[in-house]
């Protein structure tokens, strides 16, 4: 339930109970043609007759007396498919509008639509004050009316006020409609639930902001306000007193008195505006809007997609939720005039795009929503991919700026970036100086793919392409799979780094579970001399050996590289202080008794040290031979991430992950690669 008025062109300007005016050129009402137009879709409205209407704001709930914000006025009542309009009288019947128009004149007089960025095309003076005879509008959707009560020809409606057409409640209103006869009143009241107990309705509907008019000012702000008031009153009074006390000629002091009085009168609106800013309700609104609404919106994501599809269907835009096809949506936004931007709808469209984006990425990608710095607008963030996307900016770009980039391609490109970066997790071996350089690494690797050796291979019903991006002895095996629409034809499923300068170890597959249930290319191996604990090994050459490796019961030979991102050198004395800790290596993440990934926690005795470097970045590495009570393993550790100076006889502790090339022994039957 909201108040407003119509401009000369018939566009709706919302006037909330805080006195803020917001233009909504998405909605146009043509009373002469008995029609409304919302975002280019015209619908007829049905006239229900003449009424006398009065509107109150209930700051302390409907059970308590209200504050009149629309004086009793004669108007015309209309019905739409989902609500009602009351038009008539003059816009000046809304509380405070006359003073704003002809005396106080605060700036800006009319605000741009919710979530609009930049300068609005129409000047504020064109929208306010409107023409002298322009009508006020009482607009209420039937769903915002919580109860009604009829006494003879008078029907009282209890409803709540929404901020900028969103689901953010800023007030409880009541509207009294007096009909010309009881029959009309009775027929109208049947459309709404009966309000038997106002107290129960108050508990059922919560207002998202406090509506306390009292000042909530700091001591400094109170002193500022007091000094302004004192200056306005005191300076003219002081001049008058000095004139009388000192018997000064009035001809000399009168001009000064007149100037100071005029300046004081002109300053009065500024004082009132400053005092209004200090009211508790204004401060509460600034603190919660739109931050709280954005937080609520993200908590309901993606459940709002269904409601959006129904809304767009009413606007003659058909979206198929089973197909990610954004062409109907893009065509709809492209043909809308920029000044019809409607923030609440744009936000829901951005959520629909985000939902489609996550569907394309797949993999159960972990995400969250974070407020954008400065605007608090919700931004979708994939931390593991170091990727953040403001989908609302894209909607604005198409709706307002008429961006030409195809929305489908934009989504596909963004999803491919996310797929690539997620496939690069985890990656060590010094391919990045810092983990937040993942975007730069991704761009470098993408640029290297066209000039690198590639191979296509069919496995089961799928076709894979693996590209080896090499700078000997280091390489990254970039694996992609052909997939059906939506999106591009190839999706990255794995990007596994490796160093061919390594040792060959022997071991056997875990008999009860030879591979991880989470991914097919993670072998569970019991290594020779360390067969008490199974370890996960990510197979760098899985497409070559295929899924048949799980059937092997013979002794395996694996070229193993153990990459350590961070490690700590431990002295023998420190190691002896922790008698319960022995030289060992074991899986870091276990599930149902088997390793869930290729990470392993370790502490072992250093037996050899040499140096190398990653040729992609030049980052220096330690190659450290470690003995785990008879099980020897070479690990690569970044020098700048190694705590202490490694030396033979000392100990090294940390977390590593194992990648290996399994030497094939037999051809593999077809199977799907699980990334």
């Amino acid at each position: 339930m909201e108040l407003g008025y119509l401009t000369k062109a018939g566009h709706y300007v919302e006037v909330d109970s805080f006195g803020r005016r917001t233009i909504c050129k998405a909605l146009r009402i043509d009373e002469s043609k008995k029609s409304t137009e919302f975002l280019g879709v015209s619908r007829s409205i049905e006239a229900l007759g003449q009424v006398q209407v009065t509107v109150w704001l209930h700051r302390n709930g409907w059970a308590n007396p209200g504050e009149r914000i629309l004086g009793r006025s004669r108007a015309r009542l209309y019905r739409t498919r989902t609500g009602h309009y009351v038009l008539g009288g003059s816009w000046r019947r809304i509380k405070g509008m006359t003073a704003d128009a002809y005396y106080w004149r605060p700036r800006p007089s009319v605000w741009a639509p919710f979530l609009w960025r930049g300068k609005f095309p129409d000047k504020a003076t064109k929208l306010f004050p409107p023409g002298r005879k322009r009508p006020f509008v009482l607009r209420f959707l039937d769903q915002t009316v919580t109860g009604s009560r009829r006494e003879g020809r008078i029907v009282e409606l209890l409803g709540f006020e929404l901020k900028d057409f969103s689901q953010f409640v800023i007030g409880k209103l009541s509207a009294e409609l007096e009909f010309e006869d009881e029959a009309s009143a009775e027929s109208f009241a049947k459309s709404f639930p009966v309000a038997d107990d106002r107290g129960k309705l108050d508990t059922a509907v919560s207002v998202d902001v406090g509506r306390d008019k009292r000042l909530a000012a700091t001591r400094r702000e109170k002193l500022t306000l007091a000094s302004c008031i004192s200056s306005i009153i005191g300076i003219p009074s002081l001049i008058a007193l000095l004139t009388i006390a000192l018997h000064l000629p009035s001809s000399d002091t009168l001009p000064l008195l007149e100037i100071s009085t005029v300046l004081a009168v002109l300053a009065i609106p500024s004082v009132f505006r400053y005092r209004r800013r200090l009211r508790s309700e204004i401060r509460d609104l600034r603190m919660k809007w739109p931050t709280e609404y954005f937080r609520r919106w993200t908590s309901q994501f993606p459940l709002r997609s269904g409601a959006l599809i129904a809304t767009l269907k009413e606007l003659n835009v058909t979206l198929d939720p089973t197909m990610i096809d954004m062409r109907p949506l893009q065509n709809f936004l492209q043909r809308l005039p920029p000044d019809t931007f409607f923030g609440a709808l744009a936000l829901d469209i951005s959520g629909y795009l985000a939902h489609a984006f996550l569907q394309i990425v797949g993999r159960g990608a972990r995400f969250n929503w974070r407020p954008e710095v400065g605007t608090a607008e919700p931004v979708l963030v994939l931390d593991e991919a170091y990727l953040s996307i403001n989908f609302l900016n894209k909607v604005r770009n198409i709706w307002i700026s008429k961006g030409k980039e195809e929305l489908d391609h934009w989504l596909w490109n963004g999803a491919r970036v996310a797929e690539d970066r997620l496939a690069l997790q985890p990656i060590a071996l010094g391919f990045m100086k810092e983990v937040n350089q993942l975007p730069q690494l991704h761009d470098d690797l993408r640029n290297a793919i066209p000039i690198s050796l590639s191979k296509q291979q069919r496995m089961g019903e799928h076709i894979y392409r693996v590209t080896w991006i090499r700078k000997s002895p280091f390489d990254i095996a970039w694996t992609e799979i052909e997939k059906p629409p939506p999106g591009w034809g190839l999706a990255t499923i794995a990007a596994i780094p490796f160093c061919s300068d390594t040792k060959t170890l022997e071991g056997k597959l875990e008999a009860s579970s030879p591979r991880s249930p989470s991914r097919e290319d993670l072998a569970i191996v019991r290594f020779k001399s360390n067969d008490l604990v199974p370890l996960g090994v990510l197979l760098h050459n899985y497409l070559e050996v295929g899924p048949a490796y799980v059937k092997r019961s013979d002794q395996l030979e694996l070229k193993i590289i153990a990459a350590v991102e961070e490690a700590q050198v431990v002295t023998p004395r420190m190691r002896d202080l922790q008698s319960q800790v022995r030289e060992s290596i074991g899986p870091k993440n276990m599930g149902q008794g088997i390793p869930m990934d290729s990470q392993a926690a370790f502490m072992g005795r250093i037996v050899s040290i040499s140096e190398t470097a990653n040729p992609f970045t030049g980052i220096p590495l330690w190659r450290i031979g470690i003995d785990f009570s008879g099980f020897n393993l070479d690990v690569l550790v970044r020098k700048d991430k190694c705590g202490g100076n490694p030396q033979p006889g000392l100990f090294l502790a940390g977390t590593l992950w194992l990648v290996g090339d399994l030497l094939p022994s037999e051809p593999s039957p077809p199977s799907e690669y699980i990334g």
Side-chain angles (χ1 to χ4, degrees):
M1 183 179 287
E2 294 88 27
L3 280 171
Y5 64 87
L6 297 182
T7 66
K8 294 179 181 179
H11 295 118
Y12 178 66
V13 177
E14 183 185 63
V15 182
D16 64 28
S17 55
F18 290 92
R20 179 173 172 135
R21 295 171 290 276
T22 305
I23 179 62
C24 177
K25 299 191 80 171
L27 175 61
R28 184 175 178 273
I29 302 175
D30 190 339
E31 197 173 4
S32 64
K33 296 181 179 179
K34 300 293 189 294
S35 67
T36 64
E37 183 180 305
F38 181 68
L39 294 177
V41 177
S42 181
R43 302 196 184 279
S44 61
I45 56 177
E46 178 187 358
L48 298 182
Q50 299 282 337
V51 294
Q52 295 282 350
V53 60
T54 312
V55 180
W56 287 269
L57 167 66
H58 297 265
R59 297 183 180 275
N60 300 311
W62 290 301
N64 297 293
E67 171 187 325
R68 188 161 59 183
I69 58 175
L70 177 70
R72 190 169 186 268
S73 306
R74 188 169 182 81
R76 299 162 298 281
L77 177 63
Y78 295 93
R79 178 165 55 200
T80 69
R81 290 196 306 164
T82 58
H84 293 79
Y85 291 106
V86 181
L87 289 82
S90 169
W91 55 272
R92 288 183 290 181
R93 299 295 292 170
I94 301 175
K95 182 181 178 181
M97 294 285 281
T98 301
D100 285 349
Y102 299 118
Y103 182 51
W104 308 123
R105 298 187 66 81
R107 292 291 184 264
S109 296
V110 178
W111 292 81
F114 175 47
L115 297 178
W116 177 280
R117 280 191 183 178
K119 188 176 180 180
F120 195 70
D122 291 337
K123 293 183 179 180
T125 53
K126 182 179 178 181
L127 304 173
F128 184 78
R132 181 179 299 179
K133 297 183 179 180
R134 299 310 299 166
F136 68 80
V137 178
L138 172 62
R139 170 185 173 272
F140 54 93
L141 298 176
D142 293 348
Q143 64 182 10
T144 64
V145 177
T146 59
S148 67
R149 186 175 60 178
R150 184 179 72 87
E151 291 184 4
R153 296 186 296 114
I154 298 176
V155 177
E156 183 183 22
L157 301 178
L158 307 181
F160 50 88
E161 180 185 13
L162 300 177
K163 178 67 174 171
D164 290 336
F165 305 94
S166 67
Q167 299 300 312
F168 188 83
V169 181
I170 60 173
K172 295 181 178 179
L173 306 182
S174 67
E176 183 180 278
L177 281 71
E178 182 179 347
F179 289 81
E180 295 180 335
D181 55 76
E182 288 193 24
S184 299
E186 182 180 6
S187 175
F188 176 76
K190 288 180 180 179
S191 303
F192 305 99
V194 177
D196 294 325
D197 189 339
R198 295 191 176 206
K200 289 183 179 180
L201 290 179
D202 280 329
T203 59
V205 178
S206 298
V207 179
D208 293 315
V209 293
R211 296 310 305 261
D212 190 351
K213 292 177 65 175
R214 291 176 296 182
L215 297 185
T218 63
R219 182 178 179 183
R220 182 176 180 179
E221 290 168 337
K222 289 180 180 179
L223 290 174
T224 301
L225 180 62
S227 63
C228 292
I229 296 174
S230 300
S231 299
I232 290 174
I233 299 174
I235 293 177
S237 301
L238 180 61
I239 294 174
L241 289 174
L242 289 175
T243 301
I244 296 172
L246 300 177
H247 304 287
L248 298 175
S250 58
S251 58
D252 294 337
T253 59
L254 186 58
L256 185 60
L257 181 61
E258 290 176 346
I259 293 173
S260 62
T261 303
V262 170
L263 292 177
V265 172
L266 293 176
I268 290 176
S270 299
V271 174
F272 273 88
R273 285 198 297 271
Y274 181 70
R275 185 184 184 280
R276 184 176 180 275
R277 286 170 50 195
L278 303 181
R279 279 161 46 180
S280 176
E281 61 177 356
I282 298 295
R283 295 212 152 174
D284 197 36
L285 179 65
R286 287 181 174 177
M287 183 173 63
K288 294 180 178 178
W289 173 261
T291 307
E292 286 295 327
Y293 175 63
F294 288 150
R295 187 177 294 115
R296 184 183 307 161
W297 182 88
T298 56
S299 68
Q300 297 170 348
F301 170 86
L303 301 178
R304 301 177 69 95
S305 296
L308 173 69
I309 292 173
T311 300
L312 291 176
K313 188 175 181 180
E314 294 289 327
L315 298 173
N316 302 325
V317 181
T318 303
L319 295 178
D320 185 353
T322 62
M323 292 291 294
I324 303 177
D325 182 4
M326 298 299 166
R327 287 173 296 180
L329 183 58
Q330 182 160 16
N331 293 336
F332 169 69
L333 296 176
Q334 285 280 4
R335 67 173 179 261
L336 290 174
D339 57 5
T340 62
F341 182 78
F342 194 72
L345 180 62
L347 185 62
D348 284 344
I349 291 175
S350 72
Y352 181 77
L353 295 181
H355 181 53
F357 168 83
L358 292 172
Q359 282 186 300
I360 298 173
V361 174
R363 301 183 176 200
R366 291 191 292 268
F367 69 92
N368 55 56
W369 292 93
R370 290 182 188 155
E372 185 180 56
V373 177
T375 66
E377 292 176 359
V379 175
L380 184 74
V381 178
L382 280 71
D383 287 316
E384 294 176 342
Y386 285 85
L387 185 65
S388 60
I389 305 175
N390 188 332
F391 289 91
L392 184 57
N393 273 344
K394 187 61 180 178
V395 176
R396 270 193 294 251
N397 176 260
I398 300 174
W399 195 332
I400 300 175
S401 304
K402 303 305 175 188
K404 299 299 183 182
E405 182 182 9
E406 288 191 27
L407 194 52
D408 284 315
H409 288 182
W410 181 79
L411 278 177
W412 299 348
N413 289 334
R416 182 166 67 178
V417 170
E419 291 168 350
D420 292 352
R421 295 183 184 179
L422 290 173
L424 287 166
Q425 295 286 344
I427 191 165
L429 294 176
F431 280 93
M432 296 178 291
K433 292 183 179 180
E434 298 294 339
V435 69
N436 59 7
Q437 292 180 336
L438 179 63
Q440 182 61 47
L441 173 64
H442 162 253
D443 293 343
D444 293 342
L445 295 178
R446 264 290 169 192
N447 292 333
I449 286 178
I451 58 174
S452 301
L453 177 63
S454 296
K455 176 184 177 182
Q456 282 194 334
Q457 182 172 337
R458 177 179 290 276
M459 187 179 291
E461 298 178 354
H462 301 281
I463 296 177
Y464 299 86
R465 184 180 77 176
V466 59
T467 303
W468 292 274
I469 305 170
R470 287 175 174 162
K471 287 188 179 181
S472 184
F474 287 73
D475 74 69
I476 291 180
W478 188 286
T479 306
E480 299 166 293
I481 184 174
E482 285 191 1
K483 71 179 191 68
W488 300 118
L490 290 171
T492 305
I493 55 175
I496 303 174
F498 195 65
C499 177
S500 59
D501 185 8
T502 184
K503 292 183 178 180
T504 301
L505 301 180
E506 295 182 348
K508 286 190 174 184
L509 293 174
E510 176 73 0
S512 60
S513 181
R515 69 171 180 85
S516 168
S518 61
R519 55 185 300 166
E520 198 169 314
D521 58 348
L522 185 67
I524 310 301
V525 181
R526 290 184 182 267
F527 286 98
K528 188 176 181 180
S529 301
N530 192 61
D531 54 359
L532 294 179
V533 180
L535 297 173
V537 179
L538 190 62
L539 297 181
H540 174 255
N541 64 335
Y542 174 75
L543 287 181
E544 296 178 13
V545 299
Y549 79 88
V550 299
K551 299 179 181 179
R552 295 181 58 177
S553 58
D554 60 326
Q555 195 79 4
L556 305 179
E557 290 187 341
L558 299 103
K559 292 183 176 180
I560 294 293
I561 183 68
V564 181
E565 190 65 20
E566 293 189 19
Q568 179 64 47
V569 176
V570 180
T571 63
R573 180 173 178 274
M574 292 298 297
R575 183 254 184 218
D576 292 339
L577 290 176
Q578 299 178 344
S579 57
Q580 73 278 10
V581 179
R582 297 295 178 186
E583 294 91 312
S584 63
I585 179 171
K588 184 178 180 181
N589 302 306
M590 295 283 287
Q592 300 178 352
I594 60 173
M596 299 305 294
D597 53 36
S598 62
Q599 286 188 304
F602 74 94
M603 188 177 79
R605 184 169 56 87
I606 300 173
V607 294
S608 64
I609 301 173
S610 61
E611 298 182 25
T612 185
N614 186 317
F616 283 83
T617 58
I619 293 177
L621 305 169
W622 293 113
R623 182 184 293 276
I624 303 176
I626 299 180
D627 175 57
F628 301 99
S629 301
F631 175 58
N632 293 310
L633 183 67
D634 283 355
V635 301
L636 290 175
V637 187
R638 284 178 54 166
K639 286 188 176 182
D640 59 336
K641 299 293 184 179
C642 184
N645 186 26
Q647 297 178 14
L650 300 181
F651 294 84
L652 191 71
T655 301
L656 56 80
W657 54 279
L658 298 169
V659 180
D661 270 351
L662 174 62
L663 300 182
S665 63
E666 57 183 85
S668 169
S671 177
E672 180 181 356
Y673 181 88
I674 300 176

